Amino acid sequence: MKHTYLMTPGPSPLAGPVKEALAKDIIHHRTDEFKKILQEAHQGLKYVFSTDNPVLILACSGTGAMEASVSNLLSRNDKALVIVGGKFGQRWKDICSSYGVETVCMEINWGTSPDPKEIERILNDSPDIKAVYTTLCETSTATVYDIKAIASITRDRDVLLIVDAISGLGQDVLKTDEWGVDVVVSGSQKGLMLPPGLSFISLNRKAEVALATSNLAKYYFSLKKALKSYQNDDTPYTPSVSLVVALNESLKIIKEDGLENRWKEFQKIAQATQDALKELGFSIFSKSPSFSVTAAAIEGIDTQAIVKKMRKEYGISIAGGQDALKGKIIRIAHMGYINSQDVIMCLSILEKVLADLGASIEIGSSLKAFQEAYYG
Ligand SMILES: *Cc1c(COP(=O)(O)O)cnc(C)c1O
């Protein structure tokens, strides 16, 4: 009897009540019944996004909302600062380039977080920059960025701050309104415990003003249209009805746990995961490790073989490295519905796989390290 476990930074496992909601009959979306469901979702999203501003729901994966935040906020020949310290920072650059937006690219070493002072210097040097595109958790390197410090630079300037929180939302601390972040983008299949297929985008007043003047091409992803429908708890096109019904279940779980409690819990799990991996001879890849996912490197063992063996022989999916980090790291997610017990189970199989691959490790050592850190 084989169980399978998802320990990857997207998709991540579905919460129980989410699965039950997904099995329900579909209802029509232009009804009072669905309007109430959407209203509940809109309220719940504000809580998880830590904002009083609208959070729009789009029927696409996270990248759709990233694209919308470029095509709806900027105009042809506008200039944007993008922070590239991994695969998803690179995606911001690619989207901007696709729309003819000029990018000033702040390249940082993978696994490090950007120096806010450097961002300030770039904005001082180029006052024509209209927007800063960055990432809460750069999933490819498991690195959290200091969004609070970056927002303190952008909030009083004539520049928008757009944060990709697709993987970080729910685990890594993000205080959208308090810090003055203008736009936050996220997706359904990471911290929100849902299948892939929904993305979200919050817009403050400054961002709403920018919608009015943007002249880049858009149709399906018109946020002006989406915002107009939103005011009526409606959507411009057919929403992903079942996913929205299921979303309300995951929002309920997060509300019941309390967002701040979840931040603390994932911080504890992340710290314990780092301790456990170090015990097995790994080094933690990031200089600024995220609470959502942990990346670790090891000498003398093929990390792709670790990932493959865990999935094939034990049914446990962890992630390897992407792009430049392919074959160099493993990544273990602790987000959404993944809890401390799941990580303990994952570590125990990781130990077995390392031993199978010839590593000299002490069986049980990472479990001891995890529990000492987690239970204190
Ligand atoms: C997963 C992820 C994305 C991509 O989202 P899709 O849902 O695959 O479009 C973008 N940014 C970050 C930081 C991610 O972790």
Side-chain angles (χ1 to χ4, degrees):
M1 191 170 67
K2 197 159 169 184
H3 287 206
T4 54
Y5 299 88
L6 263 184
M7 302 290 294
T8 49
S12 70
L14 308 182
V18 163
K19 286 191 227 175
E20 286 169 28
L22 289 170
K24 286 187 186 166
D25 275 334
I26 196 120
I27 59 169
H28 198 275
H29 53 291
R30 307 297 183 205
T31 55
D32 288 343
E33 192 184 358
F34 189 69
K35 201 188 261 291
K36 257 185 71 191
I37 290 167
L38 207 49
Q39 189 176 26
E40 190 182 325
H42 288 155
Q43 287 311 313
L45 283 169
K46 285 185 183 185
Y47 175 72
V48 177
F49 276 69
S50 302
T51 184
D52 288 329
N53 296 311
V55 185
L56 306 175
I57 305 173
L58 307 173
C60 55
S61 84
T63 306
M66 291 174 78
E67 176 161 344
S69 76
V70 172
S71 64
N72 286 268
L73 297 171
L74 297 178
S75 293
R76 270 186 293 281
N77 303 320
D78 272 355
K79 199 189 265 188
L81 170 59
V82 292
I83 302 184
V84 182
K87 187 182 168 69
F88 295 107
Q90 181 65 41
R91 187 165 298 178
W92 278 132
K93 182 168 188 270
D94 295 343
I95 295 170
C96 286
S97 303
S98 304
Y99 278 93
V101 169
E102 190 188 329
T103 54
V104 176
C105 195
M106 178 173 160
E107 297 263 2
I108 56 172
N109 286 334
W110 287 36
T112 66
S113 65
D115 178 2
K117 286 207 186 67
E118 178 65 10
I119 295 174
E120 188 168 28
R121 191 193 61 73
I122 295 171
L123 292 177
N124 284 341
D125 286 355
S126 306
D128 54 339
I129 288 174
K130 294 272 169 43
V132 178
Y133 288 90
T134 190
T135 318
L136 174 61
C137 165
E138 173 51 78
T139 321
S140 61
T141 65
T143 300
V144 68
Y145 291 0
D146 189 351
I147 300 302
K148 183 181 181 183
I150 299 171
S152 75
I153 296 160
T154 54
R155 69 184 302 169
D156 298 321
R157 290 173 192 246
D158 192 16
V159 62
L160 290 166
L161 175 62
I162 299 97
V163 175
D164 166 1
I166 293 176
S167 64
L169 188 80
Q171 298 81 226
D172 287 301
V173 180
L174 175 63
K175 300 183 178 177
T176 304
D177 286 1
E178 191 181 316
W179 294 350
V181 180
D182 301 302
V183 176
V184 173
V185 169
S186 198
S188 53
Q189 79 277 25
K190 311 216 173 172
L192 287 173
M193 312 173 249
L194 291 161
L198 292 182
S199 72
F200 313 98
I201 180 164
S202 74
L203 301 163
N204 69 2
R205 278 304 304 167
K206 202 162 143 190
E208 274 192 40
V209 170
L211 294 186
T213 54
S214 160
N215 68 9
L216 296 176
K218 56 220 158 240
Y219 184 82
Y220 183 71
F221 289 121
S222 164
L223 296 183
K224 227 195 271 177
K225 255 187 266 175
L227 193 60
K228 201 166 161 223
S229 298
Y230 170 94
Q231 312 298 357
N232 261 326
D233 291 309
D234 201 352
T235 57
Y237 314 107
T238 310
S240 186
V241 173
S242 301
L243 287 178
V244 176
V245 171
L247 168 65
N248 281 344
E249 296 303 322
S250 94
L251 293 173
K252 242 182 263 168
I253 293 171
I254 295 172
K255 185 84 199 239
E256 269 167 32
D257 285 350
L259 185 61
E260 304 232 347
N261 292 332
R262 285 180 71 89
W263 289 340
K264 281 190 206 126
E265 176 64 14
F266 285 107
Q267 175 173 22
K268 251 172 74 179
I269 296 175
Q271 186 61 57
T273 305
Q274 291 163 30
D275 288 4
L277 289 171
K278 281 190 247 175
E279 198 62 33
L280 295 175
F282 285 92
S283 58
I284 302 308
F285 181 76
S286 178
K287 301 275 183 292
S288 167
S290 154
F291 300 166
S292 305
V293 54
T294 297
I298 192 162
E299 295 289 323
I301 296 178
D302 176 5
T303 52
Q304 271 171 306
I306 298 173
V307 174
K308 204 184 253 176
K309 228 169 151 51
M310 285 186 72
R311 182 174 297 154
K312 268 196 142 154
E313 293 176 27
Y314 299 94
I316 300 176
S317 290
I318 63 168
Q322 298 165 291
D323 295 352
L325 291 176
K326 202 165 178 145
K328 301 212 166 79
I329 54 168
I330 59 164
R331 290 176 299 148
I332 297 174
H334 24 80
M335 57 173 59
Y337 201 57
I338 298 170
N339 69 8
S340 56
Q341 284 108 315
D342 296 322
V343 179
I344 290 172
M345 182 276 308
C346 178
L347 288 167
S348 74
I349 299 301
L350 176 61
E351 289 183 352
K352 174 75 173 81
V353 164
L354 287 171
D356 289 351
L357 290 170
S360 59
I361 58 140
E362 195 186 327
I363 292 290
S365 59
S366 76
L367 307 181
K368 183 162 182 279
F370 185 96
Q371 291 180 72
E372 276 171 3
Y374 182 78
Y375 296 111

